[in-house]
Amino acid sequence: MSKYGVSITELKEEKYLVDALREMGYRPEVHHEAVPMNSYYAEQEAKQANIIIRRHELRGACGDIGFARQPDGRLTLIADELDAYHGYGEKWLGCVQQLYKEKQTLAMARARGYTLKKREVIQTKEGQQVRLQFAVRR
Amino acid sequence: MQDQTITITIDEQGHSTLDLEGFAGRTCEKVFDDFRGGDRLSNERKKPAYFTGQQVQQEKSQR
């Protein structure tokens, strides 16, 4: 073994985020310029996002859920606080990030000539983990 | 020669653990950067093989 590292996933690439959301069964809207979201608190606080899942697709949600492009290039989650209690909190975001990271990794590996040898799904106490093993193409 | 493998484990929060086997020196850094992407690194550790490989490379270049 020669090197080991732990990285914090940051959502930056719109394509993989949209693909991840589609895989979860949503039909996200993508806007170059941020557009308003419908929210339970819409009258008090107007929220805008670039990638939006409308409320009618989100079972039990109070408002739309979106991702807004930040000046540093990251796409951050924009949602009603109440929706964290309706199944759209940390666990939901973790699922989005896991799919995003897998898609991003597979695309990068293909583009740079690495070969996927194995894909495993591991069940842990905390949840499901995905393990990908690659080899260097010779 | 040891097989070169890259194992990436993506946890339930979407964060990843990257484990490189059989790499040394500059190649190791390149592969590590490829797989890290633009993500923020929270922990990084070089294994003995990393330095062993680098030493061999330096010895060769001195000849």
Side-chain angles (χ1 to χ4, degrees):
Chain A
M1 208 177 292
S2 32
K3 195 166 173 176
Y4 176 91
V6 180
S7 305
I8 308 295
T9 295
E10 294 189 332
L11 302 173
K12 285 180 181 167
E13 294 179 78
E14 181 185 288
K15 180 186 186 308
Y16 304 121
L17 176 57
V18 170
D19 284 352
L21 295 171
R22 285 188 181 139
E23 191 167 322
M24 291 169 80
Y26 305 117
R27 287 169 298 164
E29 292 174 12
V30 180
H31 302 276
H32 185 67
E33 296 293 332
V35 299
M37 293 167 61
N38 300 309
S39 163
Y40 186 76
Y41 296 113
E43 287 162 18
Q44 291 97 324
E45 189 190 1
K47 290 175 179 169
Q48 293 196 324
N50 299 85
I51 297 171
I52 301 175
I53 308 168
R54 295 298 179 186
R55 183 171 57 184
H56 65 85
E57 290 192 46
L58 299 158
R59 201 173 161 187
C62 295
D64 298 341
I65 290 181
F67 292 85
R69 179 74 69 187
Q70 303 302 313
D72 65 1
R74 285 180 306 128
L75 287 155
T76 56
L77 179 73
I78 309 287
D80 277 343
E81 268 176 48
L82 278 176
D83 283 333
Y85 303 101
H86 296 149
Y88 303 100
E90 259 183 50
K91 199 173 173 188
W92 184 84
L93 181 62
C95 188
V96 174
Q97 292 191 154
Q98 191 181 47
L99 281 166
Y100 170 94
K101 185 65 188 173
E102 182 176 359
K103 287 178 186 303
Q104 184 199 41
T105 302
L106 290 171
M108 180 285 302
R110 254 195 315 272
R112 300 202 182 175
Y114 298 97
T115 310
L116 179 67
K117 282 171 69 182
K118 199 156 114 184
R119 179 188 186 275
E120 283 177 286
V121 176
I122 302 151
Q123 204 65 48
T124 68
K125 267 189 222 164
E126 289 75 30
Q128 215 171 54
Q129 298 190 345
V130 175
R131 183 168 292 162
L132 305 171
Q133 198 174 71
F134 296 90
V136 178
R137 202 176 287 163
R138 291 174 199 279
Chain B
M1 189 183 159
Q2 193 185 353
D3 275 352
Q4 294 181 318
T5 57
I6 302 125
T7 304
I8 178 163
T9 305
I10 310 167
D11 71 16
E12 66 289 343
Q13 291 179 304
H15 304 318
S16 59
T17 303
L18 185 57
D19 203 339
L20 305 187
E21 222 170 300
F23 294 92
R26 215 173 288 169
T27 313
C28 185
E29 296 300 336
K30 187 199 171 292
V31 174
F32 194 84
D33 286 346
D34 280 350
F35 279 86
R36 186 169 65 88
D39 292 340
R40 193 158 38 94
L41 203 59
S42 71
N43 183 6
E44 181 183 0
R45 192 153 41 101
K46 291 183 175 90
K47 299 294 179 74
Y50 176 96
F51 300 103
T52 312
Q54 205 165 37
Q55 200 177 355
V56 172
Q57 281 176 351
Q58 279 171 359
E59 280 169 9
K60 277 183 184 169
S61 63
Q62 279 168 4
R63 278 178 203 162

